């Protein structure tokens, strides 16, 4: 960090960068090399037995508003430990995020927390829905061994899906490039301890097949076809460049062997007649970004948030939001009204009139 | 004790942006705008930082520098308990005289809960009790700093371009004195009260001069990714070696997969919060600076100002038969308090769904009450229909209650 920032001269505070994912939320400050915390996107309420997921797209606005409010409150006062009023916020969201969610989030931030300025950044959304398939598979087929008797694992609703994934080392299945259809012998079973008394026996074949759920389902759609289909949609001139610069982000891609399998699938699929005619290129390369795959999107937002100079002009200020009552969507961010209406480029957000002198 | 008081039986309505009902113990009273405030209609602010294990206050500048982590305390990477420093004596040879040995103390960190020690990850014992332990550095820091600098340069260029365009538009109105002589115009430098020093420096450079260009290499994409090792399938899993997801995510920079890579981190700080009324911007609650003190500098809680209503007794509520409910009201302040009991407002959702109606007839109830000092004796309860004054800070009222539904809870509103 530059020296003068520690001395507090200049006075511009670093922006807060929040990446609200469906499973985990990464939040931290701009200009840093990693998020301060990665926490599950859930809130715990007194009345409910299970924690409530915050990022849901199908619930009504009022409920979403209260969940988001509580969650962002926890983010600010337990993890970031700063005043929401003082700092700009960079939100990282998926391109496909529904407007309703986006608008509720904006309302929470501006109305309740009174953040001065809000910027949003876009990232791709990985196929997070596939992860839920894993959970159902596991629950059906594993048995739980308690000290008393064996029970069906449907009782253990406490099973934390993601935690199991890591322990079981569910890995992307080895791909038989030779083309023979034999299944390799399943990996050994694993006894996973839950809670002291109970032990979850996970069959080896489950470990093996969970990874497979990322591969082709009945409609022959998978992550690899997703990539190839989107390449086809792009203009011809750009396809080669794009194919040679793939970036895979997200926690799910941190499964051991995922990237290798993905590349192998893509190369296999490109040979098929469906893609061979349309795609001219055969080279596919993957980038290795300077952070773990689940923080890469956050990191992008952090670098952007560190650019104090232009941050003001590319953001929505509270005054603008109060005047218009809406936040422009990503497809209309270049419209001139944003700049003409309110001259945000010049001044930084006004500090609270009663800013404590010790706040830097 | 809280269950004995049953504080959630009597809820107070707060007319904020949303109607919130909460027990009196969770509400605040703004003396300046004379209104009840709930936690949702006040703004929360960070007051001070402190470490939960050594209870040391940390000024916010230092907290920011240390990334909100205590300098002395560590968290166990396995169970997140606080680590304690333990000492062992080891005999070492004196540097001057190899024959003699002395006992020196060596310190290591250990967790009292899960028995993790710093020796498990290979951290060498230190010779000083505190201050010797370092957190590992992120290997990508350098690269990222370069990236940030490069982008900042790009951003600066963009801003300069934009400002130049604006200046070009206004060139007609600008007097001669403000033209090229001062670079890009003093007008752009004026409102920049809080601008960083480097941007000012950038503006004052003449256009011909070359700033130090920061070049970065574009990232290289790789053709081949490492495949899984051959025995990945057949190797039995040793769960004690693998980190849990929670343990991994506590260290976002590294996220180690093996337990032997889990290094301890400094303990995260906690904050003390102060509350402020959104309408009049006065403080409602301001705690003391000292982390060990639980007192408040300003404490405008509702319990000190608003009369507390308690349900003293509920009789057997029988369907369509009238019975009497006893409510007591306690006056916490030293002044006279007039209390009026009214029926629920029209259209109040709680009223529509209620299972019993409490008969409160308007003209009969106008209780004036003297509350002289808060700790006098409790007087007898007043029968219905009297317009009376009562001595003492507490008063009780019998209210007729008619149960009009066969099932569910009773809610009354005053």
């Amino acid at each position: 960090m530059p020296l003068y920032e520690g001395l507090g001269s200049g006075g511009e505070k670093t922006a807060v960068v929040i990446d609200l994912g469906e499973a985990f939320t990464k939040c931290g400050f701009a200009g840093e090399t990693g998020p301060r915390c990665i926490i599950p996107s859930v809130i715990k309420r007194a009345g409910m037995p299970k924690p409530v997921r915050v990022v849901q797209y199908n619930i009504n606005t009022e409920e979403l508003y209260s969940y988001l409010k509580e969650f962002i409150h926890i983010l600010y006062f337990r993890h970031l430990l700063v005043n929401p009023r003082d700092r700009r916020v960079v939100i990282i969201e998926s391109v496909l995020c529904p407007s309703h969610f986006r608008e509720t989030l904006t309302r929470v931030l501006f109305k309740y927390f009174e953040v001065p300025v809000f910027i949003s950044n876009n990232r791709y959304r990985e196929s997070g829905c596939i992860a839920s398939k894993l959970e159902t598979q596991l629950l059906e087929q594993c048995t739980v061994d308690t000290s008393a008797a064996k029970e069906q694992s449907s009782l253990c609703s406490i099973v934390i899906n993601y935690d199991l994934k890591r322990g079981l080392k569910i890995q992307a299945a080895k791909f038989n490039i030779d083309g023979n259809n034999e299944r390799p012998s399943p990996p050994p079973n694993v006894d996973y301890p839950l809670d002291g008394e109970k032990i979850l026996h996970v069959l080896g074949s489950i470990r093996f097949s969970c990874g497979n759920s990322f591969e082709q389902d009945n409609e022959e759609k998978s992550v690899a076809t997703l990539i190839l289909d989107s390449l086809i949609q792009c203009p011809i001139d750009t396809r080669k460049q794009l194919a040679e610069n793939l970036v895979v982000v997200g926690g799910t891609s941190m499964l051991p062997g995922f990237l290798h399998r993905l590349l192998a699938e893509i190369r296999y699929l490109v040979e098929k007649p469906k893609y061979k005619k349309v795609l001219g290129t055969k080279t596919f390369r993957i980038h290795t970004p300077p952070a773990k795959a689940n923080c890469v999107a956050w990191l992008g937002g952090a670098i952007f948030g560190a650019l104090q100079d232009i941050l003001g002009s590319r953001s929505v200020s509270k005054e603008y939001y109060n005047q218009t009552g809406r936040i422009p969507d990503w497809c209309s961010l270049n419209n001139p009204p944003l700049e003409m209406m309110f001259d945000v480029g010049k001044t930084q957000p006004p500090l609270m009139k009663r800013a404590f002198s010790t706040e830097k | 004790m809280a269950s004995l008081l049953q504080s959630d039986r009597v809820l107070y309505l707060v007319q904020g942006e949303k109607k919130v009902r909460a027990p009196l113990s969770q509400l605040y009273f703004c003396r300046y705008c004379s209104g009840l405030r709930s936690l949702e209609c006040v703004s929360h602010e960070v007051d001070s930082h402190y470490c939960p294990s050594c209870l040391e206050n940390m000024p916010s500048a230092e907290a920011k520098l240390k990334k909100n982590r205590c300098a002395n305390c560590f968290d166990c990477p396995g169970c997140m308990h606080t680590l304690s420093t333990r000492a062992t004596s080891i005999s070492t040879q004196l540097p001057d005289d190899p024959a003699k040995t002395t006992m020196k103390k060596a310190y290591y960190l250990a967790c009292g809960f899960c028995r993790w020690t710093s020796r498990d990850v290979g951290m060498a014992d230190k010779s000083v009790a505190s201050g010797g332990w370092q957190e590992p550095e992120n290997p990508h820091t350098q690269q990222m700093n370069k990236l940030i600098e490069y982008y900042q340069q790009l951003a600066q260029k963009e801003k300069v371009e934009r400002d130049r365009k604006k200046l070009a538009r206004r060139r007609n109105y600008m007097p001669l004195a403000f033209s090229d002589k001062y670079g890009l115009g003093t007008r752009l430098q004026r409102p920049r009260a809080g601008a960083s020093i480097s941007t000012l420096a950038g503006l004052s450079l003449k256009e011909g001069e070359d700033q130090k260009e920061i070049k970065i290499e574009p990232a290289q994409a790789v053709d081949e990714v490492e495949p899984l090792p051959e025995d990945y399938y057949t190797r039995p899993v040793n769960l004690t070696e693998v980190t849990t997801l929670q343990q991994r995510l506590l260290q976002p920079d590294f996220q180690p997969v093996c337990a032997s890579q889990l290094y301890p981190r400094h303990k995260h700080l906690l904050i003390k919060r102060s509350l402020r009324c959104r309408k009049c911007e006065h403080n409602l609650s301001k705690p003391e600076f000292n982390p060990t003190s639980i007192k408040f500098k300003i404490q405008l809680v509702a319990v000190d100002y608003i009369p507390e209503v308690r349900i003293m007794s509920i009789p057997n509520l029988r369907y369509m038969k009238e019975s009497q409910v006893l409510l007591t009201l306690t006056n916490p302040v030293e002044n006279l308090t007039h209390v009026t009991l009214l029926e629920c407002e029209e259209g109040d959702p709680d009223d529509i769904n209620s299972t019993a109606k409490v008969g409160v007839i308007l003209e009969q109830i106008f209780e004036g009450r003297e509350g002289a000092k808060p700790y006098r004796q409790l007087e007898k309860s007043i029968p219905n229909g009297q317009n009376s004054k009562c001595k003492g800070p507490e008063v009780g009222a019998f209210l007729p209650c008619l149960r009009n539904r066969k099932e569910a809870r009773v809610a009354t509103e005053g």
Side-chain angles (χ1 to χ4, degrees):
Chain A
M1 268 197 216
L3 248 186
Y4 60 79
E5 210 160 312
L7 297 174
S9 68
E12 287 200 28
K13 299 191 182 181
T14 47
V16 165
V17 183
I18 302 178
D19 179 1
L20 282 169
E22 285 197 50
F24 289 95
T25 296
K26 283 73 71 181
C27 71
F29 292 99
E32 297 195 352
T33 54
R36 289 283 173 99
C37 68
I38 305 181
I39 54 174
S41 309
V42 291
I43 49 171
K44 295 200 174 114
R45 281 228 169 134
M48 312 191 191
K50 282 200 318 183
V52 177
R53 280 178 55 215
V54 171
V55 181
Q56 291 180 52
Y57 297 139
N58 298 325
I59 56 177
N60 70 338
T61 315
E62 279 313 308
E63 258 186 79
L64 183 64
Y65 185 85
S66 68
Y67 292 162
L68 277 176
K69 193 165 61 166
E70 206 175 312
F71 187 65
I72 295 186
H73 187 275
I74 293 177
L75 274 187
Y76 269 107
F77 293 105
R78 200 179 293 174
H79 297 280
L80 294 173
L81 306 190
V82 287
N83 275 330
R85 286 195 188 189
D86 297 342
R87 291 167 195 261
R88 301 171 158 134
V89 179
V90 179
I91 297 281
I92 299 170
E93 55 173 7
S94 152
V95 174
L96 302 173
C97 177
S99 316
H100 145 256
F101 184 82
R102 204 164 181 268
E103 275 153 29
T104 315
L105 181 61
T106 322
R107 199 154 58 95
V108 170
L109 285 174
F110 274 129
K111 291 282 180 212
Y112 188 71
F113 290 99
E114 299 179 31
V115 299
V117 157
F118 168 101
I119 307 129
S120 73
N121 215 334
N122 292 318
R123 62 163 165 83
Y124 263 112
R125 180 172 67 170
E126 279 287 318
S127 38
C129 48
I130 294 185
S132 56
K133 273 202 243 168
L134 289 175
E135 186 167 341
T136 45
Q137 252 188 334
L138 279 173
L139 285 178
E140 282 159 29
Q141 305 204 20
C142 306
T143 59
V144 178
D145 195 17
T146 60
S147 50
K150 289 203 180 188
E151 307 160 15
Q152 258 308 51
S153 67
S154 53
L155 292 179
C156 53
S157 53
I158 48 172
V159 163
I160 310 162
N161 175 42
Y162 298 98
D163 206 32
L164 276 179
K165 264 208 270 192
R166 68 88 190 160
L168 306 174
K169 289 196 186 173
I170 296 174
Q171 64 270 23
K174 256 197 277 200
F175 196 64
N176 283 330
I177 305 187
D178 316 334
N180 45 358
N181 289 329
E182 283 171 28
R183 277 192 158 199
S185 55
N189 303 347
V190 174
D191 288 341
Y192 187 86
L194 301 164
D195 259 16
E197 276 187 359
K198 302 183 194 165
I199 300 179
L200 181 66
H201 293 297
V202 183
L203 299 175
S205 47
I206 296 302
R207 288 176 61 197
F208 174 86
S209 54
C210 278
N212 268 339
S213 53
F214 288 101
E215 308 315 325
Q216 306 209 341
D217 62 6
N218 288 335
E219 295 170 20
E220 293 206 6
K221 288 215 160 57
S222 69
V223 182
T225 55
L226 188 74
I227 295 179
L228 289 174
D229 288 340
S230 44
L231 265 185
I232 291 177
Q233 307 261 359
C234 297
I236 293 188
D237 317 326
T238 58
R239 282 181 203 167
K240 187 165 162 61
Q241 283 266 309
L242 284 173
E244 290 181 0
N245 290 289
L246 296 173
V247 181
V248 180
V249 304
T252 323
S253 66
M254 288 169 73
L255 278 178
F258 184 85
L259 288 179
H260 179 79
R261 173 67 190 266
L262 185 66
L263 266 185
E265 276 269 336
I266 292 180
R267 289 189 177 132
Y268 170 73
L269 281 173
V270 160
E271 300 296 329
K272 285 206 166 155
K274 180 178 167 196
Y275 294 111
K276 196 164 182 178
K277 285 183 269 180
V278 188
L279 275 181
T281 170
K282 298 260 183 76
T283 53
F284 292 89
R285 295 205 180 116
I286 282 194
H287 275 272
T288 47
K292 294 283 176 183
N294 53 0
C295 303
V296 173
W298 181 91
L299 190 62
I303 294 181
F304 184 70
L307 310 175
Q308 301 279 8
D309 300 334
I310 54 159
L311 205 56
S313 59
R314 286 182 187 229
S315 52
V316 176
S317 73
K318 191 165 60 168
E319 286 77 11
Y320 177 83
Y321 182 75
N322 287 336
Q323 279 175 15
T324 57
R326 58 179 190 84
I327 182 163
D329 211 337
W330 60 274
C331 47
S332 60
L333 277 174
N334 281 329
N335 280 346
L338 193 59
E339 216 181 297
M340 272 167 18
M341 237 175 141
F342 195 74
D343 230 348
V344 286
K346 302 288 184 308
T347 54
Q348 44 148 341
L351 293 179
M352 328 187 304
K353 63 177 195 252
R354 58 209 173 270
F356 303 116
S357 56
T358 51
E359 274 285 331
K360 290 286 181 290
Chain B
M1 193 62 196
S3 57
L4 207 64
L5 291 173
Q6 291 196 320
S7 53
D8 53 347
R9 285 230 281 188
V10 179
L11 298 177
Y12 285 68
L13 177 66
V14 178
Q15 303 272 6
E17 274 180 19
K18 274 190 307 197
K19 292 194 172 183
V20 174
R21 280 155 212 257
L24 194 65
S25 45
Q26 294 174 11
L27 295 176
Y28 295 85
F29 181 71
C30 181
R31 251 193 343 196
Y32 306 93
C33 31
S34 298
L36 264 183
R37 301 272 174 262
S38 75
L39 278 177
E40 298 202 353
C41 36
V42 294
S43 65
H44 302 244
E45 286 157 13
V46 171
D47 203 49
S48 59
H49 303 264
Y50 67 97
C51 170
S53 70
C54 59
L55 290 181
E56 189 194 321
N57 186 27
M58 208 179 258
S60 28
E62 196 187 333
K64 190 181 154 186
L65 210 59
K66 297 244 170 76
K67 305 209 172 174
N68 292 333
R69 302 224 167 227
C70 178
N72 311 323
C73 310
F74 283 91
D75 269 343
C76 173
C79 61
M80 289 148 284
H81 189 61
T82 315
L83 289 176
S84 49
T85 314
R86 300 221 184 116
T88 54
S89 309
I90 51 170
S91 51
T92 52
Q93 292 175 332
L94 274 179
D96 334 329
D97 195 355
K100 287 197 197 148
T101 56
T102 53
M103 303 300 283
K104 259 204 325 196
K105 285 214 164 164
Y107 299 94
Y108 65 97
L109 295 169
C111 175
F113 191 66
C114 67
R115 307 284 185 216
W116 179 92
T117 66
S118 57
R119 291 169 178 166
D120 293 347
V121 283
M123 287 168 76
D125 296 353
K126 299 278 185 286
S127 47
V128 282
S130 61
W133 306 101
Q134 301 292 340
E135 282 186 27
E137 267 251 349
N138 188 354
H140 300 292
T141 317
Q142 285 272 355
Q143 186 183 2
M144 281 192 243
N145 282 340
K146 266 178 117 183
L147 263 179
I148 292 182
E149 275 177 25
Y150 173 72
Y151 277 109
Q152 273 176 342
Q153 199 187 39
L154 275 185
Q156 221 176 48
K157 277 194 205 157
E158 183 184 324
K159 193 178 66 139
V160 159
E161 280 295 321
R162 201 166 30 90
D163 291 342
R164 201 182 303 170
K165 271 191 225 161
K166 275 204 189 136
L167 182 63
R169 267 186 261 140
R170 294 171 194 263
R171 207 173 264 270
N172 319 342
Y173 328 125
M174 282 286 205
L176 277 173
F178 287 144
S179 66
D180 290 342
K181 195 174 170 190
Y182 293 102
L184 295 159
T186 54
R187 186 201 167 269
L188 299 160
Q189 295 177 11
R190 241 190 289 127
R192 211 158 293 283
S196 53
I197 301 174
S198 68
T199 44
L200 275 179
L203 277 178
S204 60
L205 278 177
K206 290 196 206 131
E207 294 170 18
E209 236 179 64
D210 222 13
Q211 229 178 348
K212 189 174 67 137
E213 288 276 327
I214 304 175
K215 288 221 182 326
I216 55 159
E217 286 176 12
Q220 295 290 343
V222 287
D223 234 347
E224 286 300 326
V225 184
E226 249 184 56
L228 288 173
E230 284 297 321
D231 65 344
Y232 209 73
Y233 263 128
T234 49
R235 190 174 56 193
V237 174
N238 183 4
L239 275 179
T240 52
E241 259 308 302
V242 181
T243 53
T244 67
L245 206 62
Q246 197 185 19
Q247 289 169 348
R248 255 183 247 182
L249 296 180
L250 281 177
Q251 319 213 353
D253 283 343
F254 304 101
Q255 292 183 38
V257 175
C258 294
S260 52
Q261 306 273 330
L262 272 183
Y263 290 95
R265 284 199 84 178
H266 286 282
K267 204 162 186 63
H268 197 75
L269 300 176
L270 294 179
I271 51 161
K272 285 201 174 191
R273 248 184 318 169
S274 67
L275 302 173
R276 195 181 283 271
C277 173
R278 278 184 211 250
K279 299 204 180 93
C280 59
E281 309 281 357
H282 278 100
N283 258 326
L284 293 178
S285 159
K286 199 167 159 67
E288 292 243 344
F289 224 50
N290 189 1
T292 51
S293 155
I294 56 167
K295 296 195 187 159
F296 288 81
K297 287 183 197 160
I298 302 174
Q299 195 183 17
L300 297 176
V301 282
V303 180
D304 288 342
Y305 294 94
I306 309 279
E308 191 188 342
V309 178
R310 275 204 216 160
I311 303 178
M312 283 305 274
S313 75
I314 299 183
N316 272 327
L317 292 166
R318 271 171 259 129
Y319 184 56
M320 296 317 270
K321 289 208 171 59
E322 240 192 43
S323 32
Q324 291 209 323
V325 178
L326 177 61
L327 293 179
T328 52
L329 295 103
T330 315
N331 185 8
V333 296
E334 293 182 352
N335 313 321
L336 262 179
T337 311
H338 289 283
V339 174
T340 315
L341 294 178
L342 303 164
E343 296 237 351
C344 284
E345 279 175 23
E346 288 293 323
D348 194 343
D350 264 354
D351 186 33
I352 296 171
N353 297 331
S354 71
T355 52
K357 275 257 181 279
V358 175
V360 173
I361 309 164
L362 207 55
E363 72 251 5
Q364 284 197 348
I365 308 289
F366 183 90
E367 293 181 12
R369 175 157 67 109
E370 269 180 48
K373 279 185 185 136
Y375 299 106
R376 280 176 57 179
Q377 275 182 355
L378 175 64
E379 298 283 335
K380 285 288 177 204
S381 62
I382 306 167
N384 245 358
Q386 278 195 18
N387 189 358
S388 53
K389 287 198 178 156
C390 148
K391 286 198 183 156
E394 294 197 26
V395 74
F398 275 110
L399 300 171
C401 169
L402 179 67
R403 180 170 181 169
N404 54 11
R405 278 195 219 175
K406 281 200 167 154
E407 290 173 358
R409 311 179 340 227
V410 180
T412 66
E413 178 158 330

